[in-house]
Each structure stands twice: as C-alpha cells, then as structure tokens.
C-alpha cells in the first residue's frame, strides 16, 4: 500500500499546516484539536484517489479537507449526543471544553467545510455542492435513525443497512465522487465511483459490527464485545434476534444478561449457533463484490483503477 | 409600509408550503416548527428587496428561504447554549423535544440553507456562496464572543459593537447582498447594499439594548429591564461602567443589587445621570445615518431605493 501511505502523508502534511482561524479561540481551537486526532483518513484519501484517476490527486486537496472537516464536525456533535468521553483514545471536544463549545465549533466546522468544498472550478461547483449537501442531509438522517433505533423493539436488517449507509457510507461515496468531479472525471464516472465507495463503505461498516464480536483483541484497537455489552442493535444482533424467534430461542434472556465477559462469550456462541457469523461474512463479501462491480462502469483504462482495487482489498482485509 | 407587508405575505406563503423533508420526523418536524414561529422576517425581506431593486423580488425567494433557515438554525443552537425555555413566546425546540433533537435538526437546517442558497444562476453562485459562508462563520464568532463576554470583567464598547455586528448585523448584510446578486445587481451595488443592511442592523441592535431599558412596556413585547436584571453587558451597561469609574461612582454596588423592579429603576436613573441614554441614542442615529449614506454608492435610479429607505425608517422608529 505504498500509494495509500503516500496519500495519507500528503493529506497529513496539509492538516499540519491547516489554519481555520484563531479568534475567538474557543471556536477555532477545538477544530484544530479534533482534526489532529488522526484516524485512518479514509474519506479524504478517497477524494484524492478520485482526482488521481484523472491527474494530480492534490487537485482535490481542498475537497479532501472539506470532507474531513465535515466528518469531524459530525463526530463532535455525535459525541455530545452520545455523551461520549473518548474519541480515538483522546478526550472528546465537549469533555475537554464543554457542550456549548462543542455545538458551536462543530457548526463552524460545517461552514468551513463548505468554504473548502467551494474551492473548485465554477463549472463543477453546482454538482459538487449538490452532492455534498444531499450527503450531509443523509448523514443527519442516518444519525437520527440510529438514535430512533435505540427505543425501537424491532428493526429490519434492510432498515439497519440503510441507516449505516446514510450515517457512514454515503460520505465515502461523496468523498470519492467529489474528488473525481474536481479531478476532471465525467458525471457518469463520478456516479459509478460514488457507488463503488458507498458499497465498499457498507461492507466496511458491517465488518465493523463483525469485528466487534470476533475481532482479535490484540489488533482491533477497541474493546471486543463492546456492542454486545451495550445491547447495541448491530446487524448481527438484529438478524440473531429474528432467527432466535423462529427457532424459539429466548433472545430476551441473552439480552438481559449482566454486561460482563460471560455475556460476550454467550453471544459469540449464540451467533454461531444461529449462523449469524456466516451471515455477516456473506454480507461483507456481498457488498465488497458489488463495490468492485461498480468500477466496471468507470470509463478509464484498467490500470487507473488499480489503486482503488488495492484500497478496497486493504479495507476488506482489515482487522482493526 | 404597503410594500413591506406585501413582501412579508409573499414570504409567509412560501413558508406555509415549505417541505424540507418528512422522515425521520424528529429531524424535520423541528425545522418546520421553528420556521412557523414567525418573527419580523427582516432577513428574508431584505433578500427579496435586494432582488426587487433589479426586477422581480421573488427571484431571490430560494435565497430568502436559505437566510431564514440559517437564522432559525442559529436560534435553535443558541437556545440550547442559553438553556432558553421560550422563543417568540413558544416552547424552544430543545425543550419541546430534547437537546439532541435540537442539535441535529439545527445541523440539518444549516445544510438545507446551503441547498436553497445554491438555487441560483451558476454565474453568481461562487460569490453568493462565499458571502454566505463568510457571514455564517462571523455569526459563529459573534456567538462565541458573546459567551466569552459573560466571564470577562471589561469589554470595550468597540468590541461590543463588533460582537453585535457579527452575531446579528452581518446576516442582514448578507441577506441583502445575496438578494441583489441573484436579482442581477453588480458586485459593486451588492457590496454597497451589504453595508446599508449591516449598518442598519447595527443601529437596530443598539436600539434593542435601548428599548430594553426605556421601552414602553405596552409596546415592547418583552419584559423591560430584562438585560438589567441579568447584568447583561449591553452597550449601555458597558459605557455606564466606564463612565462610572471616571466619576468614582460605585457601579459594582448597582450590579450587585437584587434583581427586582428597584434595580431596573436605579439603572434607568444611573444611565441618565451618566448620559448613557443620550449616548445610546447618538449611536442609534449614527449607524442609521451611515446606513443611508451607504445607499449613495448604489448605481440605480433613486426611486428604486425608496422602499429600502422606507424600510430603514420603519426599523429606526420601531418601539418593539
């Protein structure tokens, strides 16, 4: 993944010299703080790769920054809504400062995202804007759906997948499409690339659910079983609940267990008994294959798409 | 003000049929709720008037909606930050639903604002976007300055005026400028019209401070003396504190009074003794005159500007 590392370094160098503003400091300091917390930088990398298909990846640097700003804005506000103390192992913005600072600096970041986004040729600006705003709304819809799910008894697997697509995958699609448009790709190419990243992101999110249950604690980075302990409605949980009902297994008894290691083990076993582990793997593969198929509609020489396929394979095989 | 009422009616008709989205309902219901709470609709009226100078006011209707969406987004988030229970006499969004709903539906409204804003000719889109984003950031900066002031001992009058300009007046300027650009006005005209509305808005905000102290309770609509009771650092407060120090008057003793009617009367008297009432009136007049002077740079026949002058005079003479 030499290509990927190079793009990550290119992007990090840009983040290191990012100056979003200085005063009032409580508005701008949190923006720089969260932008420096790191992460895989998947979204901006996709923007740079999108432009890279057609020429110099750094043509999409302002849009890569815009997408990462948007992503981090949503993290600040989500962390307030979830009352989360930690983000990437560091104190969240609203804990380091307070809720008001988190709300307002998040708002400012969203505006900043639009400022960077608009730094492109006027000819592509309307399409870039429309794609981004549509995506941003879907991310809000996905977050509200996620919160709504907490108080719902039944969630269908298809509804769950729509939620994770809105909450997460559409932004990957948007990142890629905007990069392609800014880099000079046709609308048709850009739409196919959107589908590629959307579907890859869907595979990625289901893998996230899977790794939470069956990940290697040494590699996963987060606590394995965290979703189980909090009775989170993941795809495995939802499908297991449905299958348990068919087989007259008392799923409620599992859910009511004390949140400890035994509960995690019990669920790991239950999921295997119900074939939910295999189901999740199938879904991960399914969306991964669909994402690769989407690339067939991109009208460029095959070698131009090699980095994307390498990126997809890397994401598919991830264990953290 | 026949012209003004006609534009208000035109705008309200648009709000009445506004469909921002339906599901998830907790995302979209609060948007429609707050958009229907009413208010003077000063900002969208300015957009319509800006376009009206050059042709049909309704050419700027999407931008008028955008500006009002932005304004109401900022109200939702400000009300969370201030823990305010009421807005325009009705329950605030975060009280009617909860803080999370307020944060997220506010975020969605900001995105919606960009969607409506972008509904203009591609030729003016970059300038429209840049003006709006710059303004939106200044509004965030103004809100943070306002919160910072609460814990500051000393605030200079000039800093206070910068704060109210950022928090409030720049959005009036933006509304007017965007309307003019979309309506076909030149960049030079649009900039002059921005200054007109910015300065008029500054006069308007200082008048707000003044009316809080000396307004007619029958007409004001809000509790007269509310700012005094909460020791809010208004322009009158800041200037009175400065003048009191020069005259060896113990301003701290006034500030420390129990928050009741006697305190309001004492401050009304103190402000008169210190000449702060006259100072505020001068400032209101000063910015009003400056706003009218800004219109001299707009290169259209004088009669085209008559509605703006009428609007300004109406705002200047307001008692609520």
């Amino acid at each position: 993944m030499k290509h990927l590392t190079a793009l990550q370094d290119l992007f990090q160098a840009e983040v290191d010299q990012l100056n979003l503003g200085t005063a009032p400091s409580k508005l701008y300091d949190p923006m720089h703080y969260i932008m420096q917390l790191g992460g895989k930088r998947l979204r901006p990398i996709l923007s740079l790769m999108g432009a890279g298909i057609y020429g110099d990846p750094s043509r999409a640097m302002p849009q890569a920054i815009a997408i990462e700003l948007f992503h981090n804005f949503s993290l600040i506000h989500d962390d307030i809504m979830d009352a989360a103390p930690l983000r990437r192992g560091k104190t969240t913005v609203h804990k380091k400062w307070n809720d008001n600072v988190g709300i307002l600096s998040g708002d400012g970041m969203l505006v900043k995202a639009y400022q960077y986004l608009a730094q492109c040729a006027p000819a592509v600006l309307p399409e870039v804007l429309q794609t981004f705003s549509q995506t941003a709304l879907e991310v809000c819809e996905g977050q509200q759906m996620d919160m709504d799910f907490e108080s719902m008894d039944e969630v269908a697997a298809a509804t769950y997948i729509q939620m994770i697509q809105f909450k997460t995958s559409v932004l990957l699609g948007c990142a890629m499409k905007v990069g392609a448009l800014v880099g000079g790709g046709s609308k048709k190419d850009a739409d196919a690339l959107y589908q590629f990243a959307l579907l890859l992101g869907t595979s990625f999110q289901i893998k996230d659910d899977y790794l939470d249950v069956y990940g290697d604690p040494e590699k996963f980075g987060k606590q394995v079983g965290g979703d189980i302990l909090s009775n989170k409605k993941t795809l495995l949980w939802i499908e297991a609940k449905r299958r348990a009902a068919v087989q007259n297994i008392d799923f409620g008894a599992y859910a009511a267990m004390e949140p400890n290691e035994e509960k995690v083990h019990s669920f790991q076993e239950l999921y295997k008994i119900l074939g939910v582990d295999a189901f999740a793997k199938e879904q991960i593969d399914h969306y991964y294959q669909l994402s690769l198929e989407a690339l067939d509609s991109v009208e460029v020489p095959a070698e131009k798409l090699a980095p994307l396929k390498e990126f997809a394979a890397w994401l598919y095989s991830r264990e953290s």
Side-chain angles (χ1 to χ4, degrees), chain A residues 278-317:
Chain A
F279 168 76
K281 277 187 181 169
E282 281 161 25
Q283 291 293 310
I284 295 164
D285 283 354
H286 172 67
Y287 284 102
Y288 177 61
Q289 291 304 328
L290 285 181
S291 78
L292 294 178
E293 284 168 28
L295 290 181
D296 295 342
S297 309
V298 185
E299 294 169 328
V300 297
E303 71 266 21
K304 296 285 185 192
L305 300 175
L308 294 188
K309 289 180 180 170
E310 197 185 345
F311 177 81
W314 168 73
L315 215 56
Y316 173 73
S317 65

Side-chain angles (χ1 to χ4, degrees), chain A residues 51-272:
Chain A
I53 298 169
Y54 306 96
D56 180 2
S58 59
R59 285 183 68 182
M61 186 58 85
Q63 289 70 38
I65 292 284
I67 298 282
E68 189 71 355
L69 282 169
F70 177 84
H71 177 53
N72 281 280
F73 136 75
S74 74
L75 296 181
I76 293 179
H77 281 194
D78 284 6
D79 285 342
I80 297 173
M81 293 184 228
D82 299 341
L86 294 176
R87 167 66 61 184
R88 295 179 177 133
K90 299 279 170 62
T91 311
T92 45
V93 165
H94 69 104
K95 281 283 174 192
K96 191 173 166 73
W97 285 272
N98 58 52
D99 280 12
N100 286 0
V101 164
I103 293 171
L104 195 63
S105 61
D107 293 345
M109 277 185 105
L110 176 50
V111 175
K112 276 281 170 192
Y114 273 101
Q115 281 190 327
Y116 279 90
L117 191 77
Q119 292 174 30
C120 64
V124 295
L125 180 57
E127 180 73 16
V128 164
L129 258 185
Q130 198 192 314
T131 303
F132 182 81
S133 290
Q134 179 63 34
T135 299
L137 268 181
E138 286 170 355
V139 171
C140 291
E141 290 181 8
Q143 169 69 4
Q144 186 60 53
M145 286 172 77
D146 197 13
M147 293 194 292
D148 286 345
F149 285 1
E150 286 171 27
S151 56
M152 282 164 64
D153 281 339
E154 300 291 333
V155 176
T159 313
Y160 175 81
I161 286 176
Q162 201 207 344
M163 183 277 284
I164 57 170
Q165 286 191 326
F166 273 21
K167 189 169 171 171
T168 307
S169 318
V170 293
L171 188 57
L172 298 175
C174 171
M176 178 109 248
K177 177 173 175 177
V178 163
L181 289 170
V182 169
S186 69
K187 171 85 164 60
K188 183 169 175 290
D189 272 14
D191 284 336
L193 289 164
Y194 175 93
Q195 286 300 319
F196 161 72
L198 170 80
L199 294 162
L200 183 63
T202 310
S203 172
F204 175 83
Q205 272 308 114
I206 300 173
K207 181 112 187 203
D208 213 52
D209 285 1
Y210 180 83
L211 287 176
D212 187 86
V213 182
Y214 298 110
D216 179 342
E218 302 272 308
K219 296 175 186 165
F220 186 47
K222 286 184 281 190
Q223 182 189 17
V224 170
D227 291 345
I228 291 169
L229 294 174
S230 62
N231 281 348
K232 189 164 177 225
K233 292 192 187 80
T234 68
L235 185 63
L236 291 90
W237 175 280
I238 287 165
E239 186 63 14
K241 193 178 176 195
R242 190 185 68 77
R243 293 186 184 195
V246 174
Q247 298 187 32
N248 286 318
I249 293 173
D250 185 4
F251 188 83
Y254 281 86
M257 287 177 73
E258 290 293 313
N260 55 30
E261 213 168 314
E262 199 196 325
K263 180 171 186 172
V264 174
H265 289 308
S266 301
F267 265 90
Q268 286 169 334
E269 285 310 303
L270 177 67
Y271 286 168
K272 283 194 175 161

